[in-house]
Amino acid sequence: MNDGLGDWPEPIGAYNAAVDFVDRNVAEGRGDKLAFIDPKRSLTYRQLQARSNRFTNALPRLGIGRERRIMMIMLDTCEFPVVFWGAIKAGVVAIPINTLLTLEQWKFMIEDSRADAVVISGDLLARARPVLDDISARRHLHVIVSDGGPGPRDIAIDDLLAGSSEDAEAAPTNADETAFWLYSSGSTGNPKGTRHVHSSPYWSARSYGLGILGMRTEDVNYSVAKLFFAYGLGNGMNFPMAVGATTVLYPDRVTPDVALSIMREHNPTVFYCVPTLYAALLAHPELGPGAGSNRLRICSSAGEALPDDVGRRWQEKVGIEILDGIGSTEMLHIFCSNRTGQVRYGSSGVPLPNYEAKIVDDDGKVLGPGEIGELVIKGPTASEGYWNQRARSRRTFAGEWTHTGDKYRVDEDGYYWCCGRTDDMFKVSGIWVSPFEVESALITHPAVLEAAVIGREDTDGLLKPKAFIILKAGHVASDKLLDELKEHVKVKAGMWKYPRWVEVRTELPKTATGKIQRFKLRAEDHPSSS
Ligand code: 3UK
């Protein structure tokens, strides 16, 4: 390997990621180092190894063998890495999913993946119960409950682990074998089970964790992005565990107050955040040097473009640069990033070591500096494809090159600049919003006839949903009704998806075939940027 990142042996052939990320830390003398801290407990690397080994041993007892799948609907606590690495060591595929999704989405994912078990945090159990019961009525599904009280037919994780040995043999997996999936959502159709192989955490930790962050054993990591997101998974597990560092986990919703109190209590050295929360922290009266930590050395941002003004103001107030980088579920983590001392705010930086980028037009022709086209990426962490979605896999994973669906340009110095999406999707707080989804939720309200949704910049330059609606006859626009519509979307589609602005119209721009022309609404909304 001549990427200049040291001699961590490359995974080729026989390789199990859990042996590399868990066992190696104990074998190299870091068994007593703290791996994870949550508000209720902590785990050293030795304790993590023992407890995850128990989980590895428990799976065959439940009839869950190699290459089968388990779903994780889990909040960020010490139990998350136990289940994730325990499954991977057994050669069982772990599928962490977003704990904030609707019941229909959870149901789709459990059915689509054909998971044999769902491991769920106690606090989420009551909400998930109808879906778990519905599926259990039709086929066998183990429900394993972590951090909380199981129902009569569920398995308490402590009971499951109590009957297992602390020593486990790793399944003799291959570096190219599927280790875990992450569900990726697109503009149309259902979420896609994005399959990642055992060697991908290694390459991501090597290229971003070591290459960009310079992760060290002494580092203390805090990521506001949860472990079920690819961004959080790398931040909170792969990078620290690659070198035996420590991660602070927080299971509940993060507000600026919560983030600052975690910074003060744990003094992380590495902080990973998303643009919306960087902006919200900047508006917090108590934000000061180190953002409350007395040893903060580096800040990472991803999920959506970091507005340059947010980056500059943060650096001025906190004293540490923000390294914006672009990643995706398909590429597992960040593949193009700014670097310490060479930051260009507003850009996504340059490709990571071990990655290549190019900008192409619709015919696949490579474009030169300054020209806008689609960003495509070549790198060792690309997913090996979507589960049971051949047409979409072939479109996204074209040989060695992965299509991002993002419009970019590259400048003369090789920095990449984000210019929007190739479709109508946009991100709010780093999480995808499909206009179609919000529109669908709006029109289920009795007062709404039609709806069109676009992303619109708020005062911090971050995108939020804006809805244009046509009311049904007999309904009149009032502040009360508009507030009611916002609440309606929160319940139907998800908290972060509700329209921050609702404009009432008498007609909406459409094509001859009746497709809403959102680009026309965007152009009206930002005449200068269209
Ligand atoms: C957008 C960005 C501009 C871009 C992710 C870090 O966000 C992640 O994965 P997703 O699958 O979404 C991927 C899409 O999000 N995006 C992400 N980061 C940036 N756009 N600047 C950025 N810095 O449209 C991309 O195609 O949810 C982020 C690590 C792992 C990830 N999965």
Side-chain angles (χ1 to χ4, degrees):
M1 191 59 37
N2 48 20
D3 59 9
L5 297 170
D7 53 6
W8 184 11
E10 191 175 331
I12 306 173
Y15 174 83
N16 186 307
V19 174
D20 202 4
F21 283 76
V22 181
D23 298 346
R24 186 173 48 86
N25 284 300
V26 179
E28 291 177 359
R30 295 183 292 273
D32 295 324
K33 271 219 65 191
L34 265 187
F36 295 96
I37 309 172
D38 74 21
K40 295 206 177 115
R41 57 186 168 146
S42 59
L43 283 178
T44 63
Y45 276 95
R46 196 184 317 285
Q47 289 167 331
L48 171 63
Q49 183 187 44
R51 197 164 168 86
S52 59
N53 277 347
R54 285 176 187 268
F55 191 78
T56 304
N57 291 328
L59 288 167
R61 289 210 313 275
L62 297 175
I64 305 176
R66 220 175 131 182
E67 294 174 34
R68 293 299 309 172
R69 293 165 291 283
I70 65 164
M71 186 136 280
M72 299 169 58
I73 313 182
M74 295 182 73
L75 302 172
D76 279 21
T77 70
C78 290
E79 218 72 300
F80 191 115
V82 166
V83 172
F84 185 81
W85 296 105
I88 288 177
K89 191 162 188 177
V92 170
V93 177
I95 313 177
I97 62 169
N98 187 336
T99 58
L100 306 167
L101 296 177
T102 61
L103 292 186
E104 291 73 46
Q105 288 164 319
W106 280 350
K107 184 173 170 193
F108 170 81
M109 291 171 186
I110 298 169
E111 290 187 326
D112 178 63
S113 65
R114 306 177 195 144
D116 290 318
V118 169
V119 189
I120 184 163
S121 296
D123 286 350
L124 303 173
L125 189 59
R127 193 172 160 242
R129 185 59 78 192
V131 166
L132 300 175
D133 283 352
D134 183 41
I135 293 173
S136 300
R138 282 174 288 116
R139 69 163 173 94
H140 191 70
L141 179 73
H142 297 288
V143 175
I144 303 167
V145 182
S146 78
D147 301 284
R153 282 183 296 138
D154 308 329
I155 305 167
I157 198 165
D158 285 334
D159 293 344
L160 183 69
L161 300 184
S164 296
S165 158
E166 289 188 354
D167 298 309
E169 195 73 40
T173 49
N174 187 284
D176 293 339
E177 184 168 333
T178 300
F180 60 99
W181 301 2
L182 297 167
Y183 270 88
S184 165
S185 44
S187 52
T188 52
N190 285 316
K192 299 154 288 202
T194 308
R195 296 175 293 152
H196 285 287
V197 298
H198 276 261
S199 57
S200 284
Y202 166 96
W203 286 110
S204 167
R206 180 173 187 110
S207 310
Y208 187 79
L210 301 181
I212 301 297
L213 302 175
M215 186 68 58
R216 306 188 282 252
T217 306
E218 313 78 54
D219 275 315
V220 176
N221 294 263
Y222 170 50
S223 168
V224 305
K226 304 290 187 196
L227 295 171
F228 61 74
F229 289 117
Y231 182 44
L233 188 82
N235 304 341
M237 294 206 299
N238 300 341
F239 310 151
M241 292 177 69
V243 298
T246 303
T247 295
V248 178
L249 296 175
Y250 184 74
D252 303 322
R253 201 168 82 85
V254 176
T255 60
D257 278 329
V258 166
L260 282 180
S261 78
I262 292 173
M263 297 296 281
R264 289 188 200 111
E265 184 182 346
H266 295 283
N267 293 298
T269 58
V270 185
F271 180 53
Y272 310 83
C273 190
V274 293
T276 332
L277 197 58
Y278 276 120
L281 283 166
L282 274 167
H284 197 288
E286 286 163 30
L287 185 78
S293 166
N294 61 20
R295 52 181 179 184
L296 186 66
R297 67 171 185 85
I298 203 161
C299 295
S300 156
S301 179
E304 58 184 323
L306 179 78
D308 55 355
D309 164 71
V310 172
R312 269 187 258 279
R313 284 192 290 136
W314 179 272
Q315 185 168 341
E316 207 169 287
K317 217 161 176 180
V318 173
I320 312 280
E321 308 177 291
I322 302 180
L323 307 183
D324 185 15
I326 173 172
S328 72
T329 307
E330 285 73 8
M331 290 302 297
L332 184 58
H333 207 274
I334 292 173
F335 45 79
C336 183
S337 176
N338 281 282
R339 289 149 199 256
T340 305
Q342 299 167 33
V343 170
R344 292 206 185 165
Y345 286 121
S347 85
S348 308
V350 303
L352 261 52
N354 307 310
Y355 292 77
E356 281 173 57
K358 60 187 187 188
I359 311 264
V360 298
D361 68 10
D362 289 347
D363 303 322
K365 192 179 117 231
V366 179
L367 301 175
E371 292 182 287
I372 296 176
E374 187 184 5
L375 176 67
V376 295
I377 297 293
K378 178 174 158 182
T381 53
S383 156
E384 56 162 356
Y386 302 128
W387 169 253
N388 286 356
Q389 303 242 20
R390 186 163 152 83
R392 289 157 101 190
S393 296
R394 290 176 66 156
R395 225 176 299 136
T396 300
F397 306 104
E400 293 184 303
W401 294 92
T402 300
H403 287 253
T404 62
D406 294 304
K407 281 191 217 147
Y408 264 76
R409 68 178 166 81
V410 59
D411 67 19
E412 295 287 352
D413 301 323
Y415 281 70
Y416 285 76
W417 300 78
C418 175
C419 306
R421 283 292 292 178
T422 55
D423 54 29
D424 287 321
M425 297 276 292
F426 58 96
K427 291 241 174 147
V428 174
S429 309
I431 312 176
W432 279 123
V433 174
S434 148
F436 179 70
E437 209 180 346
V438 183
E439 291 157 9
S440 308
L442 277 166
I443 56 176
T444 62
H445 189 280
V448 180
L449 182 65
E450 283 186 43
V453 169
I454 61 167
R456 178 206 180 153
E457 285 185 6
D458 66 15
T459 47
D460 290 313
L462 297 166
L463 291 178
K464 298 284 180 307
K466 170 171 181 178
F468 298 84
I469 56 166
I470 302 178
L471 289 175
K472 286 186 183 159
H475 293 271
V476 279
S478 66
D479 287 347
K480 184 168 162 287
L481 175 63
L482 300 186
D483 285 343
E484 202 181 300
L485 291 178
K486 293 177 184 176
E487 285 310 309
H488 184 75
V489 176
K490 283 188 198 172
V491 174
K492 285 263 165 195
M495 281 301 286
W496 69 95
K497 295 180 186 166
Y498 80 92
R500 309 313 197 262
W501 307 271
V502 182
E503 189 173 310
V504 180
R505 296 247 171 138
T506 51
E507 61 180 277
L508 295 171
K510 292 206 187 122
T511 63
T513 53
K515 266 175 73 101
I516 295 171
Q517 294 170 303
R518 299 191 191 86
F519 68 92
K520 289 199 173 156
L521 293 168
R522 280 198 297 267
E524 281 175 41
D525 227 53
H526 313 270
S528 57
S529 66
S530 58

